Amino acid sequence: MEKMTHKTMEDFAKSCGVSRPTLSKYFDDPTSVKPVTRALIEAALRSSNYQPNIYARNLNRKRTRNIGILVPALTDPFYAEMVNRLELRLRVEGYWPIVFSSHGLPELEREAVNTMLSLKVAGAVAAPLGQTSDPRAFERLAQNVPIVYFDTYIEGNTPFIGNDNRHSIATIVEYLCRSGEAPAYLDIPHVNHNSPERLASYIATMEASGHEPLVIKTTASYTWEFEHVGYQQMGDMLNANTLPRRTILCANDRLAFGVMAAAFAHGLKVGRKKGDDLRIAAHDDHPLSRYTCPPLTTMAQDFAAMTANSVDLAAGTSRRYGCAGSGGRTYGPSERDACHAAVGLTPPQGVVRSETSSKLRHAATASSTACRASGMYLPIDTKPWICPGHWRSTTGMPSSRRRSA
């Protein structure tokens, strides 16, 4: 049977036998109307091809059910994985995600922020570029909607959900020193706060362990092409026979991919077995790190916890306190604190404890000794809420927990 056609919400409301405000209330939240009314509307929807005009409805609202997601690049599988998880979690919470990519360009990032303001999003979850971001653009966004930074942040009081770089780098450095030669550290262009934080932790941990830090400074200027940087710099060192150590800790997995490719191109064998030429380890547990040859030993970030905490803060603050899309009204510190408390967070002071477990994912590129830590503390000063990283081991765990790489 051909479905009925309704051009306007008024027409469909009459067909359902309910008022237009009741129908609008249903589309906002189906559970907000009586079960009998909800059943009536849903039966009418099944027999009709009616779809509410979301854009028209948003014109009459102070806030929408949209939440913006902003990342530096969707081509990076780390950000692609985060976006995938954020989208699904937001839909469960009843929000419609709108995804923006800055493609590594500050002007496109600024444009994305302005677009979110124009769309009157209910909140935003953003991984800013970092060093090249325009802080004023994000300040304007934070004055109008709840915003949460993940992975990296811009200085200020905006909530941040990310990895405890100090602890995670210390964990892998201690492991590498314990299981073999102390590592040299191959740095990357400092595009955001993660890079200098990881570098500082490497130096501090090496010194605390009685080893001399050896930093291989990057020869590249500002760029997000980390694989190319690793391939080029490793190739140059191998050609000049200037590689300082045989154990290399890369600042992130993407850099390590290039390093491993350059080693292969020079006929060197990467691994942890006797007779292998190089040990290579990195940080992030990039989705492709399991499929390098051999699999890369890496520190894993907890995607699930980062996603859950980011959505809980952005969506929870918007839903419980209506801070989003307030017609340009700026909400002050006390109001923000109330919003944050509503989702179980504490305003920044002293230190915050996370019970997120931490694991090192060992693979064939380093060694087989298990390492585990949990319940880390991290000073938070300008980074209000830290979700420490999560490290996963695929090999080398005690026999009851060992899995094949």
Side-chain angles (χ1 to χ4, degrees), residues 304-368:
M306 289 175 67
T307 300
N309 291 335
S310 297
V311 171
D312 286 349
L313 183 54
T317 303
S318 169
R319 179 172 58 249
R320 301 185 191 192
Y321 275 80
C323 298
S326 53
R329 178 176 61 84
T330 300
Y331 57 95
S334 61
E335 194 173 6
R336 266 198 303 270
D337 290 347
C339 294
H340 300 153
V343 289
L345 296 171
T346 305
Q349 55 183 7
V351 296
V352 65
R353 182 180 176 109
S354 171
E355 296 300 334
T356 304
S357 63
S358 307
K359 300 178 185 176
L360 169 62
R361 185 173 74 77
H362 303 283
T365 53
S367 184
S368 60

Side-chain angles (χ1 to χ4, degrees), residues 28-191:
D28 278 337
D29 180 9
T31 63
S32 65
V33 300
K34 295 178 180 179
V36 174
T37 305
R38 183 165 68 248
L40 191 66
I41 295 172
E42 289 173 352
L45 281 171
R46 288 191 292 271
S47 62
S48 169
N49 60 5
Y50 177 74
Q51 291 290 335
N53 187 326
I54 295 176
Y55 291 100
R57 286 165 54 75
N58 287 343
L59 289 174
N60 298 319
R61 291 177 173 177
K62 288 186 177 181
R63 67 182 182 91
T64 68
R65 299 294 294 176
N66 300 327
I67 285 188
I69 303 173
L70 173 60
V71 295
L74 284 170
T75 52
D76 185 324
F78 170 79
Y79 290 118
E81 177 71 14
M82 278 300 298
V83 167
N84 178 61
R85 290 171 176 264
L86 286 167
E87 282 189 299
L88 294 175
R89 179 62 183 262
L90 285 167
R91 288 174 66 88
V92 169
E93 295 292 328
Y95 288 87
W96 186 257
I98 302 177
V99 179
F100 300 87
S101 171
S102 63
H103 300 279
L105 301 174
E107 59 269 25
L108 292 185
E109 182 178 73
R110 195 161 46 244
E111 180 182 280
V113 170
N114 291 334
T115 301
M116 282 191 274
L117 284 170
S118 299
L119 292 173
K120 298 192 293 187
V121 295
V125 181
L129 291 173
Q131 306 294 359
T132 60
S133 293
D134 181 359
R136 294 169 299 179
F138 285 94
E139 286 172 9
R140 288 195 303 273
L141 185 62
Q143 288 172 355
N144 289 276
V145 303
I147 176 174
V148 181
Y149 295 140
F150 75 92
D151 185 50
T152 187
Y153 59 92
I154 298 173
E155 297 290 350
N157 295 321
T158 300
F160 166 62
I161 305 295
N163 184 68
D164 181 347
N165 289 305
R166 177 192 59 79
H167 188 98
S168 59
I169 288 294
T171 300
I172 196 168
V173 169
E174 290 169 355
Y175 156 72
L176 290 171
C177 291
R178 189 172 62 248
S179 60
E181 179 191 40
Y185 185 84
L186 181 56
D187 203 10
I188 57 172
H190 290 190
V191 296

Side-chain angles (χ1 to χ4, degrees), residues 202-238:
Y202 163 79
I203 294 172
T205 306
M206 288 285 285
E207 291 175 345
S209 302
H211 298 283
E212 180 184 358
L214 203 166
V215 178
I216 306 171
K217 295 182 178 179
T218 182
T219 56
S221 55
Y222 181 92
T223 179
W224 286 77
E225 300 291 332
F226 302 135
E227 296 88 350
H228 176 74
V229 170
Y231 184 87
Q232 190 68 45
Q233 191 158 355
M234 184 66 169
D236 291 344
M237 288 189 291
L238 291 175

Side-chain angles (χ1 to χ4, degrees), residues 267-311:
L268 298 178
K269 188 174 182 181
V270 176
R272 56 183 172 82
K273 298 177 182 178
K274 186 176 180 180
D276 289 344
D277 300 298
L278 297 171
R279 283 200 311 164
I280 295 174
H283 190 292
D284 285 351
D285 197 18
H286 189 288
L288 298 181
S289 63
R290 296 171 181 268
Y291 306 107
T292 58
C293 188
L296 178 65
T297 293
T298 184
M299 300 298 290
Q301 301 192 66
D302 192 344
F303 288 103
M306 289 175 67
T307 300
N309 291 335
S310 297
V311 171

